[in-house]
């Protein structure tokens, strides 16, 4: 009996948004009509969004990619020999040899787009659970030392060393400890957390379980933004399947060590991406930032010691345990070890996910991977690090993408989101938007954020309308200084980053002369 040909159509939200379900239905129906039944696999996305829906066919040479495919393309593709990897205008050759993928260093995302996200067998066949099995043979201190030596830092934006946080929770004395995954991915231009939860959920489950073993936690929560319904559904199903298989529950892998995991759906608040506001939300209260100390590692969820990391941080843990701390540490630059999944969005020709070791330049991402703007116009500004990140001008595109190098120029890498703007962008409007966004999303607990952002919108409006412009510019800088140093959390403390970078690098958009022109 002939083996069915495997055909892959992504179930990732980005693919679904452009018709992946309709393509899958067309393939199944047309192949059945022609008497060529197929094994249709709904995989995760490879992260090349401009090619979605990307259809892949398993051949003796490897998987061959076609995209972007519409339902109307299916008959012609089958006529051209799709099921054998035949040539066609939509064909891109072997998937792994597509330059966008071939130039990446996919450690955390090595299974992304390769496997069926819901299949435990598929996950195990591609290196899944290897890190957990190694961790089960170690005590908590040894696991923490492994993470510390790997140099893993928080991938949510703060870049705090994960090992230090875990060690604090490990040594905290408490009957109950927690692991909380912050999956409230609300930054503009970011989607790596979503891709993990939809495309490789067991990796996150494995990482959280290893964290629990390391610090002595027995319960965990994945806090997922409500705008991610597919991620919520996939994670819940994956947790149920992992529990039924004995990978979670009262005895993880038969070890006698317990870890129970559940999903909590967020309520649509951007500030709940801040760890203490998230804890308030999980506990059933309004998401308002807590004053620190105490740190969540000492008194976190329900007042107990809690490890809080974002999705990519925890998803990086299995590969560190499986391959060794040294192997992971060898990637990167300076104190920025490992890789970061950069996410290209905005006005960019080839939007998608690029996992690379720290140290490449923004110019490489924009040109070699992004292919310039979708509009074909010159790039004017690039916001790195989400809506609270700085706008990076062309003069700084060759600065290495690592935490310290970006801090030195008054910028942040944040969660790795990169939003591209062409030369039609008005940076004064974007600066105003940053203040307006802060005013809308502020939890209201501290005055610099709550009042400062509202005043910021008013001041920028006066600058744009040339009402005592020089005086208002001085006032804006003074206001940003107050927000930067007086806010309770990064919501108000980082809003000045996009505002000041826009003002400093693009003064003409505010009707202000550049410093060298003023000096002249």
């Amino acid at each position: 009996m002939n083996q069915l040909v495997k055909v892959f159509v992504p179930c990732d939200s980005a693919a679904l948004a452009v018709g992946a379900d309709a393509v899958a239905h067309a393939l199944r129906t047309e192949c059945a009509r022609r008497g060529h039944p197929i094994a249709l696999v709904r995989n995760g996305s490879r992260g090349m969004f401009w090619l979605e829906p990307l259809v892949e066919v398993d051949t003796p040479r490897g998987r061959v990619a076609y995209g972007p495919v519409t339902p109307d393309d299916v008959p012609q593709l089958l006529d051209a020999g799709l099921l054998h990897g035949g040539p066609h205008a939509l064909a891109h050759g072997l998937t792994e040899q597509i330059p966008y993928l071939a130039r990446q260093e996919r450690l955390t995302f090595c299974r992304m787009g390769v496997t069926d996200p819901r299949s435990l067998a598929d996950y195990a066949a591609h290196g899944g659970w290897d890190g957990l099995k190694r961790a089960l043979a170690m005590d908590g201190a040894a696991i923490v030392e492994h993470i510390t030596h790997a140099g893993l830092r928080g991938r949510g934006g703060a870049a705090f060393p994960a090992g230090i946080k875990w060690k604090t929770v490990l040594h905290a004395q408490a009957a109950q400890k927690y692991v909380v995954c912050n999956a409230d991915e609300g930054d503009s231009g970011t989607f790596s957390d979503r891709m993990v939860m939809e495309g490789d959920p067991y990796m996150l489950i494995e990482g959280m379980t290893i964290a629990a073993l390391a610090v002595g936690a027995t319960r965990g929560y994945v806090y997922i933004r409500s705008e991610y319904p597919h991620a919520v559904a996939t994670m819940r199903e994956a947790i149920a399947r992992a529990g039924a298989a004995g990978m979670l529950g009262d005895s993880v892998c038969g070890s006698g060590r317990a870890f129970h995991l559940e999903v909590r759906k967020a309520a649509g608040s951007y500030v709940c991406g801040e760890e203490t506001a998230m804890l308030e939300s999980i506990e059933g209260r309004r998401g308002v930032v807590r004053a620190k100390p105490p740190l969540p590692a000492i008194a976190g969820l329900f007042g107990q010691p809690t490890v809080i990391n974002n999705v990519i941080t925890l998803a990086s843990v299995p590969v560190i345990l499986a391959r060794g701390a040294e192997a992971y540490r060898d990637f990167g630059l300076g104190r920025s070890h490992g890789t970061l999944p950069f996410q290209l969005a905005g006005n960019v020709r080839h939007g998608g996910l690029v996992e690379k070791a720290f140290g490449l330049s923004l110019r490489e991402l924009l040109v070699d991977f992004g292919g310039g703007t979708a509009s074909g116009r010159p790039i004017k500004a690039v916001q790195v690090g989400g809506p609270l990140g700085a706008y990076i001008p062309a003069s700084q595109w060759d600065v290495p993408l690592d935490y310290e190098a970006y801090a030195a120029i008054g910028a942040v890498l944040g969660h790795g989101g990169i939003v591209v703007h062409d030369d039609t962008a008005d940076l004064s409007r974007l600066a105003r938007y940053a203040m307006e966004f802060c005013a809308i999303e502020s939890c209201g607990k501290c005055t610099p954020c709550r009042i400062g952002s509202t005043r910021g919108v008013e001041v920028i409006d006066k600058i744009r309308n040339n009402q005592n412009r020089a005086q208002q510019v001085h006032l804006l800088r003074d206001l940003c200084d107050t927000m930067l140093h007086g806010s309770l959390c990064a919501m108000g403390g980082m809003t000045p980053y996009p505002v000041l970078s826009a003002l400093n690098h693009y003064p003409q958009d505010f009707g202000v002369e550049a410093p060298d022109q003023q000096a002249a």
Side-chain angles (χ1 to χ4, degrees):
M1 187 174 177
N2 291 332
Q3 190 173 7
L4 294 179
V5 175
K6 276 189 180 180
V7 180
F8 300 81
V9 180
C11 60
D12 179 272
S13 290
L16 296 179
V18 288
D21 278 349
V23 171
H25 177 73
L27 278 164
R28 190 184 286 111
T29 303
E30 185 66 16
C31 286
R33 188 186 70 80
R34 296 182 183 214
H36 301 301
I38 57 173
L40 186 66
V41 179
R42 301 307 300 272
N43 58 323
S45 173
R46 295 278 190 166
M48 299 180 289
F49 291 155
W50 76 98
L51 294 179
E52 294 288 7
L54 183 73
V55 174
E56 295 180 71
V57 180
D58 203 9
T59 75
R61 295 182 293 129
R63 279 160 65 165
V64 177
Y66 299 83
V69 176
T70 68
D72 292 341
D73 294 324
V74 169
Q76 288 185 351
L77 283 166
L78 290 171
D79 290 343
L82 169 79
L83 300 184
H84 308 289
H88 187 273
L90 295 176
H92 301 279
L94 295 175
T95 310
E96 299 291 342
Q97 293 179 7
I98 296 174
Y100 193 91
L101 280 180
R103 293 198 299 264
Q104 297 188 35
E105 285 108 31
R106 288 209 164 178
L107 301 183
T108 307
F109 283 73
C110 61
R111 281 178 297 271
M112 199 61 60
V114 176
T115 59
D116 175 352
R118 293 173 173 79
S119 171
L120 282 162
D122 226 359
Y123 183 67
H126 291 82
W129 312 118
D130 288 354
L132 177 58
K133 290 172 184 175
R134 187 174 181 190
L136 285 165
M138 305 162 70
D139 63 15
I143 299 173
V144 171
E145 174 55 33
H146 219 69
I147 297 301
T148 302
H149 184 63
L152 179 64
R153 295 164 70 174
R155 299 296 195 248
F160 188 80
I164 294 176
K165 187 180 290 187
W166 289 23
K167 186 176 182 179
T168 304
V169 179
L170 170 65
H171 292 303
Q173 299 300 311
Q176 178 68 61
K177 298 178 182 179
Y178 296 97
V179 175
V180 175
C181 174
N182 187 343
D184 192 35
E185 185 178 49
D187 284 356
S188 51
T190 60
F191 41 80
S192 61
D193 291 359
R194 178 188 59 73
M195 285 185 66
V196 166
M197 292 184 287
E198 293 179 1
D200 200 1
Y202 297 117
M203 174 173 62
L204 178 57
I205 292 171
E206 182 178 1
M208 292 187 71
T209 307
I210 292 170
L213 295 172
V215 304
T218 57
R219 299 202 70 85
Y221 296 89
V222 187
Y223 185 81
I224 307 176
R225 68 188 305 231
S226 58
E227 296 89 344
Y228 282 177
H230 297 291
V232 170
T234 301
M235 283 303 303
R236 283 178 172 160
E237 183 178 345
I239 288 169
R241 291 191 181 196
M247 312 310 290
L248 292 170
D250 292 330
S251 181
V252 174
C253 297
S255 65
R257 299 155 81 175
F259 184 57
H260 298 269
L261 185 60
E262 63 181 274
V263 168
R264 287 291 175 91
K265 188 163 70 171
S269 170
Y270 180 78
V271 81
C272 283
E274 195 279 332
E275 59 180 7
T276 63
M278 175 185 66
L279 295 180
E280 290 285 301
S281 179
I282 294 174
E283 292 178 14
R285 291 186 291 274
R286 178 171 172 260
V288 175
V289 175
R290 297 176 183 175
K292 293 185 276 191
L295 296 170
I298 303 298
L301 188 63
F302 303 116
Q304 303 304 312
T306 306
V307 165
I308 303 173
N309 286 124
N310 100 308
V311 172
I312 301 302
T313 312
L314 290 163
S316 301
V317 169
V319 73
I320 292 173
L321 268 293
R323 300 190 187 184
E326 203 66 46
Y328 187 83
R329 186 183 179 87
D330 284 345
F331 287 89
L333 180 71
R335 290 170 51 209
S336 300
H337 298 286
T339 61
L340 184 68
F342 296 98
Q343 298 128 87
L344 294 175
N347 191 341
V348 64
R349 187 178 174 203
H350 294 154
L353 184 133
V354 179
E355 184 178 3
K356 288 287 287 181
F358 291 98
L360 82 162
S361 70
L362 186 58
R363 192 180 304 276
E364 290 175 71
L365 278 178
L366 298 174
V367 178
D368 297 347
F369 288 95
T373 63
S375 64
R377 299 183 66 89
I379 298 174
K380 178 175 179 178
V382 184
Q383 189 173 31
V384 178
L388 306 182
Y391 288 100
I392 311 298
S395 61
Q396 296 178 338
W397 291 353
D398 295 311
V399 174
L401 283 160
D402 75 78
Y403 294 120
E404 280 65 45
Y406 262 56
I409 62 170
V412 293
L413 290 187
H415 187 43
I418 295 171
V419 179
V420 181
H421 298 271
D422 71 13
D423 63 352
T424 62
D426 181 343
L427 271 293
S428 70
R429 291 183 62 187
L430 293 174
R432 185 191 188 280
Y433 173 76
M435 284 292 189
E436 183 183 29
F437 178 80
C438 182
I440 293 169
E441 295 292 345
S442 173
C443 76
K445 186 163 185 175
C446 71
T447 303
C449 178
R450 183 184 70 250
I451 303 299
S453 53
T454 301
R455 296 288 85 84
V457 171
E458 295 169 357
V459 171
I460 292 175
D461 280 342
K462 289 178 180 178
I463 293 172
R464 285 169 50 84
N465 294 327
N466 197 16
Q467 296 175 246
N468 298 316
R469 181 173 283 155
Q471 181 185 12
Q472 296 301 322
V473 167
H474 179 78
L475 184 60
L476 180 61
R477 293 187 182 279
D478 189 57
L479 178 62
C480 285
D481 186 69
T482 300
M483 293 177 68
L484 189 66
H485 297 102
S487 298
L488 196 57
C489 81
M491 181 77 243
M494 288 184 63
T495 296
Y497 278 61
V499 175
L500 291 176
S501 60
L503 181 60
N504 292 336
H505 299 304
Y506 306 93
Q508 65 279 6
D509 286 11
F510 294 79
V512 177
E513 291 184 352
D516 56 340
Q517 291 175 314
Q518 293 173 354

